[in-house]
């Protein structure tokens, strides 16, 4: 029994510690996950800090033998809340990203997530009911080296088995996504009219694609608040906008946490536009980041590209492209005067 309690406590502590640290390392993603699960916007920023802090507290209490039962109870409450939140989302026809382990592992919440949390909840209840058990030094002192080595090896084997199972499930999920992507309609192709869409300015005003483009050459860059490469690209986009001036319009369209996007826009002095996913979806390109060039007549000049290097190359090519419509507005030259006779 003492061995089972030690393994249960430290396994739970490891799970909660990793989950908390991963959430803290990806705060925009944590805020987005809380928002997706229906947490009111005014509580999202505080919740993104409080939740991992409570998870860390549970992990610490589980490691300390005299406080292990309290840690087990706190873990059980957290896991029950997770199960209820996921079940409510599924009942409402939604499957938001659980963001359980930050960017280490994040997938749409589903029945598998409920089962996993329920199993961990049973382990937490076991700690609460059976008692804390001995401290780790005490347990090691009560067993010889062979027994300690066998338990450590068994625990390591179990952890590796779980990791392999998770990788296998992720491989199946990625294979399924690849198949779905192959069957999906192609993205907007060069030469096609740009699709109509609507975005929101930082002041809350709706902006149509027609008003945004306004008959000018433009590059639309799609970013996300929870995308690290997107955030890293923002200061570069700000410099490009300043340098290009009237030569080429660069519009930044952001998806995700609206509050975080507003903060980033202010930090980098970017007139960012907020997107609920409709704009990037209209071009068939996720905001990771990606971009597309549109000419003054509203025709797509290049297919959507992804990644900072590809976006920079797209802008360089757009700047070298001749103004196709400049000739239409050039004033006619007056006829040369006849030479005197």
């Amino acid at each position: 029994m003492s061995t089972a309690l030690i393994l249960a406590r430290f396994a739970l502590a490891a799970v909660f510690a990793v989950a908390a640290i991963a959430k803290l390392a990806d705060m925009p993603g944590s805020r987005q996950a809380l928002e997706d699960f229906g947490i009111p916007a005014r509580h999202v920023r505080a919740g993104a800090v409080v939740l991992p802090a409570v998870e860390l507290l549970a992990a610490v209490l589980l490691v300390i033998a005299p406080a292990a039962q309290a840690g087990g109870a706190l873990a059980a409450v957290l896991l029950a809340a997770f199960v209820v939140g996921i079940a409510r989302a599924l009942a409402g026809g939604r499957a938001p990203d659980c963001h359980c382990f930050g960017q280490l592992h994040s997938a749409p919440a589903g029945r598998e997530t409920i089962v996993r949390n329920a199993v961990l909840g049973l382990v937490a209840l076991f700690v609460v009911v059976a008692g804390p058990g001995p401290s780790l030094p005490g347990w090691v002192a009560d067993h010889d080296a062979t027994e300690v080595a066998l338990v450590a090896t068994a625990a390591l084997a179990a952890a590796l088995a779980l990791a392999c199972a998770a990788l296998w499930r992720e491989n199946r999920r990625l294979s399924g996504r690849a198949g779905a992507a192959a069957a999906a309609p192609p993205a907007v192709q060069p030469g096609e009219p740009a699709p109509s869409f609507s975005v929101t300015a930082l002041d809350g005003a709706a902006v149509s694609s027609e008003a945004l483009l306004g008959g000018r050459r433009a590059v639309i860059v799609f970013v996300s608040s929870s995308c690290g490469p997107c955030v890293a690209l923002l200061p570069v986009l700000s410099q490009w906008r300043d340098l290009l001036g009237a030569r080429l319009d660069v519009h930044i369209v952001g998806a995700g946490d609206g509050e975080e996007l507003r903060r980033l826009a202010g930090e980098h002095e970017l007139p960012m536009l907020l997107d609920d996913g409709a704009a990037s979806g209209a071009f068939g390109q996720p905001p990771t980041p990606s971009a597309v060039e549109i000419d003054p007549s509203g025709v797509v000049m290049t297919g959507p590209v992804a990644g900072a290097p590809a976006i920079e190359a797209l802008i360089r090519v757009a700047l070298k492209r001749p103004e196709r419509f400049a000739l239409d507005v050039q004033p006619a030259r007056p006829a040369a005067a006849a030479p005197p006779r």
Side-chain angles (χ1 to χ4, degrees):
M1 178 69 75
S2 63
T3 299
L5 280 169
I6 284 286
L7 290 175
R9 283 169 44 203
F10 278 83
L12 274 177
V15 168
F16 276 96
V18 171
I21 293 171
K23 287 186 179 73
L24 290 172
D26 183 22
M27 293 299 290
S30 298
R31 289 193 289 269
Q32 184 63 47
L34 290 175
E35 191 173 304
D36 291 344
F37 273 101
I39 301 299
R42 62 182 181 276
H43 300 316
V44 165
R45 183 170 290 273
V49 176
V50 172
L51 177 57
V54 175
E55 288 179 329
L56 275 178
L57 176 61
V60 171
L61 292 175
L62 283 163
V63 170
I64 303 171
Q69 283 181 296
L74 181 57
V77 170
L78 285 171
L79 291 164
F82 296 158
V83 168
V84 171
I86 295 169
R88 287 183 59 186
L90 294 177
R94 297 177 293 114
D97 196 318
C98 74
H99 205 258
C100 306
F101 296 95
Q103 291 185 340
L104 293 178
H105 175 73
S106 193
R111 292 186 178 88
E112 180 181 323
T113 317
I114 292 179
V115 171
R116 181 183 67 207
N117 287 334
V119 170
L120 291 172
L122 291 175
V123 176
L125 290 176
F126 170 65
V127 174
V128 174
V129 173
S135 64
L136 183 59
W139 178 84
V140 172
D142 291 339
H143 296 77
D144 59 36
T146 302
E147 291 175 324
V148 173
L150 286 174
V151 171
T153 302
L156 179 60
L160 290 174
L162 290 173
C164 289
L167 289 173
W168 177 75
R169 287 194 300 270
E170 185 65 17
N171 182 61
R172 290 190 62 188
R173 187 178 294 115
L174 290 173
S175 299
R177 288 174 185 167
V188 176
Q189 298 296 322
E192 295 181 354
S196 296
F197 58 88
S198 179
V199 289
T200 305
L202 293 176
D203 61 4
V207 181
S208 67
S209 54
E210 292 77 12
L212 178 67
L213 299 174
R216 292 171 53 84
R217 287 199 306 160
V219 169
I220 303 176
V221 182
F222 300 102
V223 300
S224 171
S225 62
S226 59
C227 163
C230 300
V231 175
L233 182 60
L234 292 181
V236 181
L237 289 173
S238 180
Q239 293 176 4
W240 287 346
R241 282 180 56 88
D242 293 340
L243 291 173
L244 296 179
R247 297 174 62 193
L248 180 70
D249 288 344
V250 179
H251 304 295
I252 295 88
V253 176
D257 185 343
E259 188 175 347
E260 178 66 11
L261 289 170
R262 288 184 176 86
R263 185 190 69 79
L264 291 169
E267 178 181 341
H268 301 292
E269 299 181 353
L270 282 170
M272 194 178 297
L273 299 157
L274 307 182
D275 176 31
D276 60 2
S280 58
F283 288 91
Q285 193 73 7
T288 54
S290 60
V292 63
E293 179 195 353
I294 300 174
D295 77 356
S297 66
V299 172
V300 175
M301 295 299 294
T302 57
V305 301
I311 293 173
E312 180 178 357
L314 181 147
I315 291 177
R316 291 185 183 278
V317 170
L319 289 172
K320 294 178 181 178
R321 198 185 303 279
E323 288 275 10
R324 295 193 306 160
F325 296 90
L327 296 177
D328 296 339
V329 297
Q330 291 294 327
R333 292 184 178 180
R341 295 182 179 179

